[in-house]
Amino acid sequence: MILQPKTWCLIVLFCLPIPSVHAQHDHGDSEVKAPRIFLDKSARIVEYQLKRLSNQQLLAVETATDDKKYLPVFNAIMTREGMSRAYRESALESIVEINGSNAVTELASALSAIKGSDESASRTIQTLAKMLLGQPQSDLASASEQLVGMTEGGRSLLASVGYGGLLSAEQSATAWKLATESKQTPLLLTAISLIPDVKIRESLHSQTISLTSSAEIEVQRAAIEALAFIPSNQAETYLKVASLIKTPALREAVVETLLSVPVTSRDTGTGVELIQFLVKFAEETKPEKRTEDSFLDAMQLVDQLLAKAPSTMAKAYRTRLSETVVRVVRVHTVEEEMRYDIPYFAVEAGRPVQVVLINEDLMPHNLVICQPGSLKEVADGGLAAGPNNGLDGKQYVPKNENVLFATNMIGSLESERLTFDAPKEPGEYPYVCTFPRHWMRMYGVMVVVEDLDAWLKSPQEPKDPIGSNRSFVQSWTVNDFSEGLERGLAGRSDAIGERIFTEATCAQCHKLGGFGIGNVGPALDETFAKFKGDNLAVLQEIVDPSHRIDEKYAVRKILDYNARVYTGLVISEDKDKVLLLENPEAKEPTEILQDDIEQMVKTSNSMMPKGLMDRFSKDEILELLSFIKNQQTK
């Protein structure tokens, strides 16, 4: 679902946890004293005391692992919204130690104890579910009784996690039998998307595809949706799922799953049939329905299919479509990674086009399309324009002749549409987020071509508009470096490490010895001392910046009474006001009066985007780690 801007104030009210009292905001860099909690009271009183604490105060509560009285504190840390993964994992380890149990048992117990079915409860369940399903298979198998119990409580999301656990433990026979007898087959199918092990998901293809012929429409729909998460036998998936597109109740799921099938696995003849049906479907759809997500998905699918169809046919059907619908391109932001999900797209010169920006990140973003070769000039102009002097009142959009089209700066979960005629002159027109410092990673190219069908037959990747010659290498995790890390750091070059420190934009936000110009992130001079010389722990901070967030640098989200939303770092706070640094280049922080604040919460996100290293090789990342280590304060 695409959320419109004016919906945001309502979404925030329901998505953010409400502090018990107005004064209990998370503080910026002020030291939090350990609150006095009476753990010898009844469970209800202890729970009440802990609920009144902010996340930062909760983390400051004195704890130990030699007494069960500390269990409520660790449970609160593990299940509290806004906690970073490192704190949750540490709390889980403590619970396991106190109870002498294992992680699966404790996570299953915590999941079953979560009350309510609101957004907050659902997000907590999803967070803990990832932790549970990531546990070793043997541990999952040993807790099968608890996993079965999770399927019996009448809560759909919890039941899916239980089935996901059983499937991950390779107890599929038990799971399928239980789901069939309990009439919960759709919930088991939903669980497939939760399973982290690709091989286990692939093993479920045969049973899943057979259920697309079920007599029950809910089972059919769930099976179709699950196939999108099973990467094996996709040619078979394509043929079977495509045959169901004429059923209205299944069409949305069919389109979404077909979009997930690689082009190389799509049967040409079936593609032609789909084109014929979808074009007719577009012509028969009422105008007011043509902006809905499901319709846009269908148009995205037919657009992909036309790219592989014979030229004459493609031209004829695209002409029919142009008389009915405007070409729509949806651009999503990627959560925590400070990038758009597509690096380029093509439009036909002089033809109408609609670009939809959908912000799924915590930070605000915009999309500005500019003249070829002007990306950096426009980005620099956006910084100079600031939040109050932009083009047509748009924040950080410069009044510059090189700006062609621009959205407003939109917040998390918001979207905005740009409808315009494409430039008449073919070329490579960059688009960029002009929020300060985002331009270095957050950009792409709108390729304007004379004949869209001809270009789609043989697409040419445009040049990188900022001159980077780097392409995606891998989404690195700390596990990719766990073996041979000490050997890998030997013989590295500080000169190479320094270059990567700059090229990866680390120097823009951090200082390290005599290097770096930033002060938005913590200085890195004593990083290794902080982690007691643990190379792997420091590396995890680089590849997964939200794993453990320094309280001072955690992003806060503020909602005021006028439904305005602010995100950034709290640099100071007193009883009268909060000073918030909304972006790294701001000359002055934003002042927000305490009396104007409806809510302020600390998120579990770092301002540093993950994925910064996904265009660097393993050797280059080790060069960077070695460089940081060699610059540590003696």
Side-chain angles (χ1 to χ4, degrees), residues 163 174-189:
Y163 285 119
T174 300
W176 284 108
K177 183 175 184 295
L178 180 64
T180 302
E181 293 175 350
S182 304
K183 297 183 179 180
Q184 290 186 325
T185 300
L187 297 181
L188 183 150
L189 291 164

Side-chain angles (χ1 to χ4, degrees), residues 189-380:
L189 291 164
T190 299
I192 292 175
S193 67
L194 305 174
I195 298 171
D197 191 322
V198 173
K199 291 183 179 179
I200 290 177
R201 280 186 273 133
E202 290 181 339
S203 71
L204 299 169
H205 184 271
S206 178
Q207 286 170 291
T208 302
I209 201 167
S210 68
L211 289 172
T212 61
S213 299
S214 170
E216 299 177 42
I217 201 74
E218 291 299 325
V219 174
Q220 274 188 291
R221 185 185 297 111
I224 292 167
E225 291 171 346
L227 286 169
F229 299 92
I230 302 177
S232 59
N233 305 103
Q234 295 206 315
E236 180 185 358
T237 293
Y238 184 75
L239 289 172
K240 180 60 179 177
V241 172
S243 69
L244 302 171
I245 198 166
K246 294 182 180 180
T247 305
L250 301 177
R251 187 170 301 134
E252 184 174 345
V254 166
V255 169
E256 288 182 0
T257 295
L258 291 178
L259 282 169
S260 74
V261 176
V263 173
T264 53
S265 297
R266 297 177 180 180
D267 173 70
T268 303
T270 301
V272 169
E273 294 175 8
L274 286 169
I275 289 170
Q276 294 169 340
F277 174 81
L278 289 171
V279 171
K280 184 178 180 182
F281 165 72
E283 292 170 335
E284 294 176 350
T285 299
K286 294 180 180 179
E288 62 269 22
K289 296 287 186 180
R290 293 174 188 165
T291 59
E292 295 180 357
D293 275 4
S294 57
F295 181 82
L296 295 180
D297 282 338
M299 294 305 97
Q300 182 180 349
L301 176 60
V302 75
D303 190 59
Q304 293 179 3
L305 296 171
L306 286 170
K308 298 299 179 183
S311 297
T312 303
M313 176 186 178
K315 181 69 72 176
Y317 277 101
R318 201 175 291 282
T319 298
R320 283 175 59 181
L321 277 176
S322 68
E323 295 172 355
T324 306
V325 297
V326 173
R327 174 170 170 74
V328 176
V329 178
R330 283 183 291 178
V331 181
H332 296 253
T333 67
V334 180
E335 185 180 6
E336 292 188 57
E337 295 190 21
M338 202 183 293
R339 67 179 177 88
Y340 301 115
D341 68 330
I342 54 174
Y344 61 91
F345 62 86
V347 297
E348 194 162 283
R351 298 299 295 271
V353 61
Q354 184 177 90
V355 176
V356 184
L357 176 63
I358 304 165
N359 187 13
E360 297 176 0
D361 191 25
L362 173 71
M363 299 295 293
H365 298 292
N366 68 355
L367 187 146
V368 179
I369 301 173
C370 46
Q371 292 283 5
S374 66
L375 185 153
K376 190 174 186 307
E377 177 187 338
V378 168
D380 288 342

Side-chain angles (χ1 to χ4, degrees), residues 16-167:
L16 298 181
I18 300 174
S20 300
V21 293
H22 180 73
Q24 286 187 347
H25 299 317
D26 285 330
H27 296 276
D29 54 2
S30 58
E31 183 177 350
V32 175
K33 295 181 180 179
R36 187 179 182 186
I37 302 297
F38 299 97
L39 297 175
D40 55 345
K41 302 296 182 181
S42 69
R44 185 176 179 181
I45 292 176
V46 172
E47 181 183 9
Y48 174 78
Q49 293 177 84
L50 296 176
K51 276 187 175 181
R52 292 179 61 84
L53 302 180
S54 69
N55 285 6
Q56 200 169 355
Q57 291 171 320
L58 178 60
L59 291 169
V61 174
E62 183 179 350
T63 57
T65 57
D66 58 358
D67 195 317
K68 287 184 177 291
K69 72 178 183 179
Y70 297 111
L71 283 172
V73 182
F74 290 123
N75 272 308
I77 293 172
M78 186 173 69
T79 58
R80 178 73 70 88
E81 191 169 14
M83 285 292 180
S84 63
R85 289 187 296 277
Y87 293 127
R88 294 187 196 276
E89 291 166 1
S90 179
L92 175 60
E93 290 174 4
S94 298
I95 294 169
V96 169
E97 183 177 345
I98 292 172
N99 287 337
S101 58
N102 61 66
V104 176
T105 296
E106 299 302 341
L107 285 167
S109 177
L111 281 161
S112 298
I114 294 174
K115 301 173 183 178
S117 57
D118 58 8
E119 288 290 334
S120 178
S122 295
R123 283 194 300 274
T124 301
I125 289 174
Q126 289 169 348
T127 298
L128 297 184
K130 290 180 180 178
M131 294 173 65
L132 186 149
L133 297 177
Q135 299 301 316
Q137 186 181 103
S138 57
D139 289 354
L140 288 166
S142 68
S144 58
E145 288 188 14
Q146 282 180 286
L147 295 173
V148 169
M150 292 169 65
T151 70
E152 299 171 345
R155 298 172 65 186
S156 298
L157 182 54
L158 197 61
S160 286
V161 176
Y163 285 119
L166 291 170
L167 294 171

